[in-house]
Protein backbone atom coordinates (compact mmCIF):
# COMPACT_ATOMS: atom_id res chain seq x y z
CA UNK A 1 0.00 0.00 0.00
CA UNK A 2 1.27 3.47 -0.88
CA UNK A 3 2.23 5.87 1.89
CA UNK A 4 -0.29 8.71 2.15
CA UNK A 5 2.55 11.08 3.00
CA UNK A 6 3.99 10.52 -0.48
CA UNK A 7 0.67 11.43 -2.07
CA UNK A 8 0.46 14.59 0.04
CA UNK A 9 4.01 15.45 -0.98
CA UNK A 10 3.08 14.98 -4.63
CA UNK A 11 0.10 17.32 -4.37
CA UNK A 12 2.07 19.92 -2.42
CA UNK A 13 4.92 19.84 -4.93
CA UNK A 14 2.45 20.61 -7.70
CA UNK A 15 1.02 23.55 -5.76
CA UNK A 16 4.48 24.91 -4.94
CA UNK A 17 6.02 24.59 -8.39
CA UNK A 18 2.96 25.76 -10.28
CA UNK A 19 2.77 28.87 -8.09
CA UNK A 20 6.23 29.84 -9.32
CA UNK A 21 5.54 28.91 -12.95
CA UNK A 22 2.20 30.70 -13.17
CA UNK A 23 3.41 33.89 -11.45
CA UNK A 24 6.45 33.87 -13.73
CA UNK A 25 4.09 33.79 -16.70
CA UNK A 26 1.87 36.55 -15.24
CA UNK A 27 2.54 38.29 -11.89
CA UNK A 28 -1.19 39.08 -11.71
CA UNK A 29 -2.34 35.53 -12.40
CA UNK A 30 -5.00 33.81 -10.29
CA UNK A 31 -2.94 32.08 -7.60
CA UNK A 32 -5.07 31.33 -4.55
CA UNK A 33 -5.21 28.75 -1.76
CA UNK A 34 -8.88 28.26 -1.01
CA UNK A 35 -10.34 25.72 1.44
CA UNK A 36 -9.55 22.39 -0.24
CA UNK A 37 -8.61 23.95 -3.58
CA UNK A 38 -5.34 25.38 -4.92
CA UNK A 39 -5.79 27.65 -7.94
CA UNK A 40 -2.75 28.14 -10.19
CA UNK A 41 -4.20 29.71 -13.31
CA UNK A 42 -2.22 31.90 -15.71
CA UNK A 43 -5.19 32.01 -18.12
CA UNK A 44 -2.85 31.73 -21.07
CA UNK A 45 -2.94 29.53 -24.17
CA UNK A 46 -0.61 26.93 -22.63
CA UNK A 47 -3.15 24.71 -20.91
CA UNK A 48 -0.67 23.21 -18.42
CA UNK A 49 -0.26 26.65 -16.79
CA UNK A 50 -4.01 26.74 -16.14
CA UNK A 51 -4.34 24.41 -13.16
CA UNK A 52 -6.59 23.68 -10.20
CA UNK A 53 -5.96 20.87 -7.74
CA UNK A 54 -7.85 19.52 -4.74
CA UNK A 55 -5.93 19.68 -1.46
CA UNK A 56 -8.20 18.05 1.14
CA UNK A 57 -6.79 14.88 2.70
CA UNK A 58 -9.36 12.14 3.23
CA UNK A 59 -12.23 13.95 1.53
CA UNK A 60 -15.50 12.01 1.66
CA UNK A 61 -18.04 11.81 -1.16
CA UNK A 62 -20.00 14.84 0.03
CA UNK A 63 -16.95 17.08 0.33
CA UNK A 64 -15.62 15.86 -3.01
CA UNK A 65 -18.89 16.79 -4.72
CA UNK A 66 -18.72 20.27 -3.19
CA UNK A 67 -15.10 20.79 -4.26
CA UNK A 68 -15.78 19.60 -7.82
CA UNK A 69 -18.68 22.00 -8.19
CA UNK A 70 -16.56 24.87 -6.85
CA UNK A 71 -13.72 23.96 -9.19
CA UNK A 72 -15.98 23.80 -12.23
CA UNK A 73 -17.25 27.31 -11.45
CA UNK A 74 -13.68 28.60 -11.22
CA UNK A 75 -12.79 27.01 -14.55
CA UNK A 76 -15.91 28.41 -16.23
CA UNK A 77 -14.88 31.92 -15.20
CA UNK A 78 -11.63 31.72 -17.20
CA UNK A 79 -10.87 32.66 -20.78
CA UNK A 80 -8.57 29.75 -21.59
CA UNK A 81 -8.95 26.04 -20.97
CA UNK A 82 -6.98 24.18 -18.33
CA UNK A 83 -7.07 21.13 -16.10
CA UNK A 84 -8.21 19.98 -12.70
CA UNK A 85 -5.69 17.59 -11.14
CA UNK A 86 -7.14 15.04 -8.69
CA UNK A 87 -4.72 12.98 -6.59
CA UNK A 88 -6.85 9.89 -6.09
CA UNK A 89 -5.17 8.61 -2.92
CA UNK A 90 -6.16 11.79 -1.08
CA UNK A 91 -9.83 10.75 -1.33
CA UNK A 92 -11.50 8.30 1.01
CA UNK A 93 -12.48 4.96 -0.62
CA UNK A 94 -16.10 5.88 -1.29
CA UNK A 95 -15.21 9.25 -2.77
CA UNK A 96 -12.57 7.69 -4.95
CA UNK A 97 -14.94 5.04 -6.32
CA UNK A 98 -17.51 7.72 -7.14
CA UNK A 99 -15.08 10.27 -8.57
CA UNK A 100 -15.99 9.74 -12.22
CA UNK A 101 -19.72 10.16 -11.66
CA UNK A 102 -19.25 13.15 -9.34
CA UNK A 103 -17.00 14.89 -11.86
CA UNK A 104 -19.47 14.30 -14.66
CA UNK A 105 -22.30 15.75 -12.56
CA UNK A 106 -20.18 18.85 -11.95
CA UNK A 107 -19.70 19.32 -15.70
CA UNK A 108 -16.14 18.02 -15.86
CA UNK A 109 -14.79 15.63 -18.48
CA UNK A 110 -12.03 13.08 -17.83
CA UNK A 111 -9.03 14.04 -19.96
CA UNK A 112 -6.13 11.65 -19.26
CA UNK A 113 -4.33 9.80 -16.45
CA UNK A 114 -1.09 10.55 -14.68
CA UNK A 115 1.00 9.25 -11.80
CA UNK A 116 2.83 11.08 -9.03
CA UNK A 117 6.36 9.76 -8.49
CA UNK A 118 9.22 10.49 -6.10
CA UNK A 119 12.52 9.03 -4.96
CA UNK A 120 15.64 9.59 -2.90
CA UNK A 121 17.75 9.01 -5.97
CA UNK A 122 20.15 11.92 -6.33
CA UNK A 123 22.82 12.39 -7.43
CA UNK A 124 22.57 10.47 -10.68
CA UNK A 125 25.59 9.93 -12.95
CA UNK A 126 26.02 12.36 -15.80
CA UNK A 127 24.28 10.74 -18.76
CA UNK A 128 25.84 9.88 -22.07
CA UNK A 129 23.75 9.12 -25.14
CA UNK A 130 25.55 8.28 -28.39
CA UNK A 131 23.10 10.29 -30.52
CA UNK A 132 22.64 13.37 -28.33
CA UNK A 133 24.45 16.42 -27.07
CA UNK A 134 22.93 18.44 -24.23
CA UNK A 135 22.60 22.19 -23.89
CA UNK A 136 21.09 24.21 -21.08
CA UNK A 137 18.30 26.63 -21.95
CA UNK A 138 19.75 30.10 -21.38
CA UNK A 139 18.26 32.27 -24.14
CA UNK A 140 14.95 32.89 -25.88
CA UNK A 141 15.78 30.82 -28.97
CA UNK A 142 16.52 27.74 -26.88
CA UNK A 143 13.44 28.34 -24.76
CA UNK A 144 11.30 28.58 -27.88
CA UNK A 145 12.71 25.25 -29.04
CA UNK A 146 11.85 23.78 -25.64
CA UNK A 147 8.28 25.07 -25.93
CA UNK A 148 7.92 23.73 -29.47
CA UNK A 149 9.00 20.21 -28.49
CA UNK A 150 6.38 20.20 -25.73
CA UNK A 151 3.70 21.44 -28.12
CA UNK A 152 4.47 18.73 -30.65
CA UNK A 153 4.64 16.02 -28.00
CA UNK A 154 1.34 16.96 -26.35
CA UNK A 155 -0.54 17.93 -29.49
CA UNK A 156 -0.79 21.68 -28.84
CA UNK A 157 -0.43 24.38 -31.51
CA UNK A 158 3.10 25.78 -31.42
CA UNK A 159 1.80 29.19 -30.38
CA UNK A 160 0.23 27.68 -27.25
CA UNK A 161 3.53 26.39 -25.92
CA UNK A 162 5.29 29.59 -26.81
CA UNK A 163 2.62 31.58 -24.97
CA UNK A 164 3.49 29.65 -21.84
CA UNK A 165 7.29 29.82 -21.95
CA UNK A 166 8.69 32.42 -24.35
CA UNK A 167 10.24 35.38 -22.55
CA UNK A 168 10.44 33.68 -19.16
CA UNK A 169 13.29 34.81 -16.93
CA UNK A 170 12.66 31.93 -14.51
CA UNK A 171 13.25 29.24 -17.14
CA UNK A 172 16.53 30.83 -18.23
CA UNK A 173 17.92 31.18 -14.70
CA UNK A 174 16.43 29.12 -11.85
CA UNK A 175 15.18 26.15 -13.87
CA UNK A 176 17.69 23.50 -14.90
CA UNK A 177 16.16 23.12 -18.36
CA UNK A 178 18.00 21.08 -20.97
CA UNK A 179 17.59 20.27 -24.63
CA UNK A 180 18.89 17.10 -26.23
CA UNK A 181 20.22 17.84 -29.71
CA UNK A 182 20.59 15.28 -32.48
CA UNK A 183 22.92 16.56 -35.20
CA UNK A 184 22.38 20.04 -33.80
CA UNK A 185 18.57 19.86 -33.91
CA UNK A 186 16.58 19.95 -30.62
CA UNK A 187 14.59 16.71 -30.34
CA UNK A 188 13.97 16.20 -26.60
CA UNK A 189 13.84 18.24 -23.40
CA UNK A 190 13.51 18.04 -19.63
CA UNK A 191 13.74 20.43 -16.70
CA UNK A 192 14.22 20.34 -12.95
CA UNK A 193 13.55 23.11 -10.44
CA UNK A 194 14.21 23.31 -6.71
CA UNK A 195 11.03 23.24 -4.63
CA UNK A 196 10.89 22.82 -0.84
CA UNK A 197 14.10 20.83 -0.60
CA UNK A 198 13.45 18.66 -3.65
CA UNK A 199 14.08 18.76 -7.37
CA UNK A 200 10.83 18.74 -9.31
CA UNK A 201 11.00 17.42 -12.88
CA UNK A 202 8.76 19.28 -15.32
CA UNK A 203 7.73 19.35 -18.98
CA UNK A 204 9.67 16.34 -20.21
CA UNK A 205 8.96 15.80 -23.89
CA UNK A 206 10.37 14.26 -27.05
CA UNK A 207 9.49 15.22 -30.60
CA UNK A 208 7.13 12.47 -31.83
CA UNK A 209 9.40 11.83 -34.81
CA UNK A 210 12.19 10.77 -32.44
CA UNK A 211 10.45 8.70 -29.78
CA UNK A 212 11.52 5.29 -28.44
CA UNK A 213 15.25 5.98 -28.65
CA UNK A 214 15.89 6.66 -24.95
CA UNK A 215 16.09 10.40 -25.52
CA UNK A 216 13.58 11.36 -22.83
CA UNK A 217 15.31 9.30 -20.17
CA UNK A 218 18.72 10.67 -21.12
CA UNK A 219 17.70 14.34 -21.01
CA UNK A 220 15.81 13.81 -17.74
CA UNK A 221 18.95 12.33 -16.22
CA UNK A 222 20.88 15.36 -17.47
CA UNK A 223 18.47 17.83 -15.83
CA UNK A 224 18.58 15.85 -12.57
CA UNK A 225 22.36 15.50 -12.66
CA UNK A 226 22.95 19.21 -13.15
CA UNK A 227 20.23 20.23 -10.69
CA UNK A 228 21.59 17.97 -7.97
CA UNK A 229 25.15 19.10 -8.61
CA UNK A 230 24.12 22.74 -8.23
CA UNK A 231 21.82 22.33 -5.22
CA UNK A 232 23.09 19.29 -3.33
CA UNK A 233 19.53 17.94 -3.10
CA UNK A 234 18.93 14.19 -2.90
CA UNK A 235 15.16 13.81 -3.40
CA UNK A 236 13.23 14.35 -6.63
CA UNK A 237 9.55 14.36 -7.57
CA UNK A 238 7.52 14.48 -10.76
CA UNK A 239 4.13 13.81 -12.31
CA UNK A 240 4.25 11.34 -15.17
CA UNK A 241 1.92 10.96 -18.11
CA UNK A 242 1.02 7.46 -19.25
CA UNK A 243 3.69 7.67 -21.94
CA UNK A 244 6.42 8.65 -19.50
CA UNK A 245 5.43 6.40 -16.59
CA UNK A 246 7.54 3.39 -17.67
CA UNK A 247 10.67 5.53 -18.05
CA UNK A 248 11.06 7.07 -14.61
CA UNK A 249 11.38 3.91 -12.47
CA UNK A 250 14.54 3.15 -14.45
CA UNK A 251 15.99 6.36 -13.03
CA UNK A 252 14.90 5.52 -9.48
CA UNK A 253 11.46 7.08 -9.11
CA UNK A 254 8.67 5.19 -7.35
CA UNK A 255 4.95 5.75 -8.08
CA UNK A 256 2.76 7.22 -5.35
CA UNK A 257 -0.70 8.62 -6.10
CA UNK A 258 -2.54 8.07 -9.38
CA UNK A 259 -3.69 11.39 -10.81
CA UNK A 260 -6.77 12.06 -12.92
CA UNK A 261 -6.89 15.13 -15.14
CA UNK A 262 -10.24 16.74 -15.91
CA UNK A 263 -11.25 19.54 -18.26
CA UNK A 264 -14.55 21.34 -18.56
CA UNK A 265 -17.21 19.46 -20.48
CA UNK A 266 -18.81 20.84 -23.62
Amino acid sequence: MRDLADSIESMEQLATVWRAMVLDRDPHADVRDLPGIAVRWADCRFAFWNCVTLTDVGADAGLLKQRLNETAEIMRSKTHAGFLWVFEDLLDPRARSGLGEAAEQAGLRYAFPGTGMAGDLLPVPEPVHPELTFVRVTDDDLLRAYADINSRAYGFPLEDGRDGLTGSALWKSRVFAYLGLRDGVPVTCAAAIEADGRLFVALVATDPAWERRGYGEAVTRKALHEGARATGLTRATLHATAAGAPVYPRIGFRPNSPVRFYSLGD
Side-chain angles (χ1 to χ4, degrees):
M1 182 176 180
R2 288 181 291 264
D3 186 343
L4 182 59
D6 290 340
S7 299
I8 295 171
E9 174 191 45
S10 194
M11 175 271 291
E12 290 179 344
Q13 282 278 283
L14 171 68
T16 297
V17 173
W18 255 240
R19 173 185 287 274
M21 297 298 182
V22 168
L23 290 176
D24 170 66
R25 171 57 180 75
D26 179 0
H28 304 292
D30 187 359
V31 174
R32 292 177 287 162
D33 292 301
L34 305 173
I37 299 172
V39 183
R40 305 288 187 265
W41 203 283
D43 216 11
C44 67
R45 291 181 55 173
F46 188 52
F48 286 144
W49 283 176
N50 303 330
C51 164
V52 183
T53 191
L54 305 186
T55 59
D56 294 302
V57 178
D60 62 17
L63 183 57
L64 173 64
K65 181 178 180 179
Q66 176 185 334
R67 298 295 189 229
L68 292 173
N69 286 327
E70 292 169 345
T71 296
E73 285 303 309
I74 292 169
M75 295 172 74
R76 290 188 189 102
S77 73
K78 304 305 182 184
T79 301
H80 294 286
F83 297 106
L84 163 66
W85 300 45
V86 181
F87 293 83
E88 295 183 41
D89 285 355
L90 299 185
L91 307 176
D92 79 7
R94 184 178 176 188
R96 182 172 176 176
S97 65
L99 173 58
E101 181 179 356
E104 184 176 351
Q105 290 175 352
L108 297 166
R109 180 180 63 236
Y110 178 69
F112 54 90
T115 307
M117 296 189 180
D120 296 301
L121 53 91
L122 303 173
V124 296
E126 183 167 15
V128 175
H129 193 291
E131 299 172 6
L132 297 178
T133 56
F134 301 108
V135 60
R136 186 171 180 181
V137 172
T138 55
D139 63 38
D140 285 333
D141 288 340
L142 296 174
L143 188 54
R144 186 178 302 109
Y146 195 109
D148 288 354
I149 293 171
N150 268 267
S151 293
R152 293 188 185 101
Y154 292 107
F156 297 148
L158 293 184
E159 288 306 316
D160 288 13
R162 293 175 182 179
D163 191 41
L165 292 177
T166 300
S168 168
L170 178 74
W171 276 77
K172 292 178 290 186
S173 56
R174 286 180 48 204
V175 179
F176 301 95
Y178 282 85
L179 294 167
L181 280 59
R182 178 188 169 105
D183 298 327
V185 178
V187 294
T188 191
C189 60
I193 182 170
E194 184 175 359
D196 290 341
R198 302 157 180 83
L199 281 181
F200 182 90
V201 177
L203 298 190
V204 178
T206 298
D207 190 302
W210 297 104
E211 293 177 338
R212 302 185 185 282
R213 290 172 169 83
Y215 293 174
E217 179 179 346
V219 74
T220 300
R221 288 181 178 273
K222 178 64 174 178
L224 286 168
H225 171 79
E226 297 296 344
R229 187 169 69 167
T231 64
L233 296 173
T234 60
R235 186 166 179 81
T237 63
L238 58 81
H239 300 114
T241 62
V247 172
Y248 302 117
R250 297 199 292 265
I251 301 174
F253 287 92
R254 297 180 62 183
N256 44 63
S257 182
V259 184
R260 293 194 208 180
F261 291 79
Y262 289 91
S263 57
L264 274 179
D266 296 330

